[in-house]
Amino acid sequence: MTSPPSSVAQRRTPLRGHPIATLVAVSLGLFMVGLDATVVSIANPAIATSLNTSFVQLQWITHAYLLGLAVCLILGGTLGDRFGRRRMYIVGVAAFAVSSIAIGLVGSATGVIAFRAIQGISAALLMPQTLSLLRATFSREKFGMAVGIWGGVSSVAIAAGPIVGGALVATLGWESIFFINAPIAVFTIVFAALVIRESVAGTSSVRFDVPGVILLALGLAGLVLAIVQSEDWGWNDMRTIGLLVGALCVLALFVLVEGRSSHPLLPLTLFRERGFSIGGLAVAANFFALLGVTFFLSLFLLNLRGVDGVTAGVMLLPLSAVSIIASPIGAILVSRIGPRITMTVGLALVAVSLGALTFTGVDTPYVAMAVPFVTLALGVGLTMTAGADSIVGSAPVHLAGVAGGFQATMLQLGGALGTAVFAAVVGAGAARESADLPLDHAQADALAQGIVPPGMSGATAEAAQDAFLAGMHEAMLVGAIVTGAVALLAGTLLRRPGRHSADEVVLETLEGAVGAR
């Protein structure tokens, strides 16, 4: 007697569609991306030394990844809806691994930047599928538990990144932080192919806003390129001005196209809600500060203070480890007092912590830095949950996926602009304060990374250190002003009487972080 086809399939793949196995499969890919998000900051000085990168090239190693991720997140979710989330997840993991290996092998700064962009696009392809697959696999009653575990895996990966990165760079070289993705990806692909059941949106009518994707990509890339290159070209240079004007025109055209599109990448009607608009600003300002600070604190610790990679990772651990508890605390506060106060307090904490870091020097005791680190991480967590509740909660149910994609895009865009603006401010400040020092162009470029040229006398070396610190302090002050201004906007303009439960806020935060559909 022949068994029914379903019985045969079940016997062949007993774990196919199993909820726990699916959770493990998507968590593996998420862990790989989360680890990569923070491990690179520790490796930046080693990459700069190995490839002899300019300061602008070093920035683009971070920016290329963030831009690829920001521009393609919403598209990545749409591709999964249309062609299958399991299929797109596996393709994304494979592309992430291949691009990671290429980064370690390419041997040039230009090549690293190009493959970092591909790596970001790959992450944008796999990340939205993780929660979509969990939604399709877990029952409504157990979905919250699954998302909680999912979020814990992401937090642990992000917290472990600096320490793992420091250890790998010190023992195996900076290339190893990318090569480590290969074995993780191979296991993830095989396991996912065996246990994940395919899931689609249930319709073949999902359409792509190709003009919107192209215009948004060009506009954001031009904007960040202008800010990054301003450190070399100068703000009065026609190339900088032309790029800025061109980028703004392209973004304005994007708005016009979206307003007339029957299937827009981002429906403009969502911005009529204050919670959606201000929540987007808050998320962007939040990661503007966080990624800008992280980029330069790593350079400060490794280059100026001269600590080793593992020690730097441990010193920066509060910035990522506190996030494990900050988001649940934020969820409780949002559920009890609402997003307005929580968001305002969170951004205010970020601003205060950046202000405190303006007193950091070469000989500053670690505890004087650790306290602002903890305050910053707590403020980031509160703002993230309040921003998610405002953005996703302000959108209609049928546009919740688009709202999550918008949140994730603002997060990545804020991070890209943060590192770009901080770098421009640090570079300008260091150049101004070191104008009287005998530095050639290469030495001035190195100083903007916290590298004091060798062979300087005591007094001259101290002046060079002070020049970098002056630029870094000015950048921290800019971050404090930006987050403080958005905190003021949130406190005065955000009005939303409705409140969600703590579990709902946590779910919105995690879904929005990857643009889940």
Side-chain angles (χ1 to χ4, degrees), residues 55-234:
F55 189 36
V56 171
Q57 288 174 322
L58 188 64
Q59 295 171 58
W60 271 109
I61 290 174
T62 297
H63 298 148
Y65 178 84
L66 293 175
L67 275 178
L69 189 56
V71 170
C72 296
L73 271 168
I74 298 177
L75 179 61
T78 303
L79 288 171
D81 290 346
R82 177 70 180 272
F83 297 111
R85 292 148 183 161
R86 172 176 171 266
R87 179 180 292 110
M88 289 300 106
Y89 175 70
I90 292 175
V91 170
V93 171
F96 194 91
V98 171
S99 58
S100 296
I101 294 171
I103 291 170
L105 294 176
V106 68
S108 69
T110 302
V112 169
I113 293 169
F115 285 114
R116 280 284 283 170
I118 296 174
Q119 192 183 43
I121 295 170
S122 304
L125 188 61
L126 76 91
M127 287 177 67
Q129 319 311 331
T130 57
L131 280 175
S132 296
L133 287 167
L134 294 183
R135 273 178 169 171
T137 304
F138 280 84
S139 63
R140 181 181 297 273
E141 294 76 18
K142 296 182 178 180
F143 180 58
M145 176 272 295
V147 171
I149 296 174
W150 178 96
V153 169
S154 179
S155 296
V156 169
I158 291 172
I163 298 177
V164 172
L168 288 174
V169 171
T171 57
L172 300 175
W174 67 266
E175 296 91 347
S176 62
I177 69 171
F178 298 104
F179 291 155
I180 196 176
N181 291 328
I184 299 175
V186 170
F187 181 80
T188 301
I189 291 169
V190 173
F191 190 67
L194 291 174
V195 305
I196 296 178
R197 179 186 293 123
E198 186 58 279
S199 166
V200 295
T203 176
S204 60
S205 62
V206 179
R207 302 178 66 185
F208 304 142
D209 180 15
V210 176
V213 171
I214 294 174
L215 290 173
L216 183 61
L218 291 175
L220 295 182
L223 183 63
V224 175
L225 177 61
I227 295 173
V228 174
Q229 292 295 144
S230 68
E231 195 268 330
D232 263 358
W233 296 343

Side-chain angles (χ1 to χ4, degrees), residues 407-433:
Q407 178 189 333
T409 301
M410 292 300 290
L411 184 155
Q412 303 299 336
L413 177 59
L417 289 176
T419 51
V421 172
F422 270 55
V425 174
V426 171
R432 184 185 64 251
E433 295 298 324

Side-chain angles (χ1 to χ4, degrees), residues 1 26 45 51 59 88 126 139 162 175 178 185 258 289 299 301 340 379 389 411 416 434 448 483 488-489 501:
M1 181 175 179
V26 300
L51 301 180
Q59 295 171 58
M88 289 300 106
L126 76 91
S139 63
E175 296 91 347
F178 298 104
E258 294 300 280
L299 296 178
L301 293 173
R340 180 173 70 91
D389 188 70
L411 184 155
S434 63
T483 50
L488 184 62
L489 284 175
S501 69

Side-chain angles (χ1 to χ4, degrees), residues 284-432:
N286 203 29
F287 279 80
F288 174 93
L290 179 62
L291 268 69
V293 166
T294 303
F295 183 85
F296 277 99
L297 283 177
S298 298
L299 296 178
F300 166 71
L301 293 173
L302 291 163
N303 291 338
L304 205 66
R305 288 185 67 131
V307 303
D308 61 78
V310 177
T311 302
V314 173
M315 293 175 75
L316 291 174
L317 186 60
L319 281 173
S320 50
V322 174
S323 64
I324 298 175
I325 62 170
S327 290
I329 292 173
I332 294 171
L333 289 176
V334 170
S335 67
R336 293 185 178 179
I337 63 177
R340 180 173 70 91
I341 297 177
T342 307
M343 186 186 298
T344 303
V345 171
L347 287 168
L349 287 174
V350 174
V352 169
S353 64
L354 294 182
L357 288 173
T358 60
F359 297 99
T360 301
V362 177
D363 300 320
T364 300
Y366 176 66
V367 67
M369 294 186 289
V371 173
F373 289 175
V374 172
T375 305
L376 175 62
L378 182 59
V380 167
L382 297 184
T383 305
M384 188 65 186
T385 49
D389 188 70
S390 293
I391 294 171
V392 181
S394 297
V397 174
H398 69 283
L399 291 178
V402 174
F406 170 73
Q407 178 189 333
T409 301
M410 292 300 290
L411 184 155
Q412 303 299 336
L413 177 59
L417 289 176
T419 51
V421 172
F422 270 55
V425 174
V426 171
R432 184 185 64 251

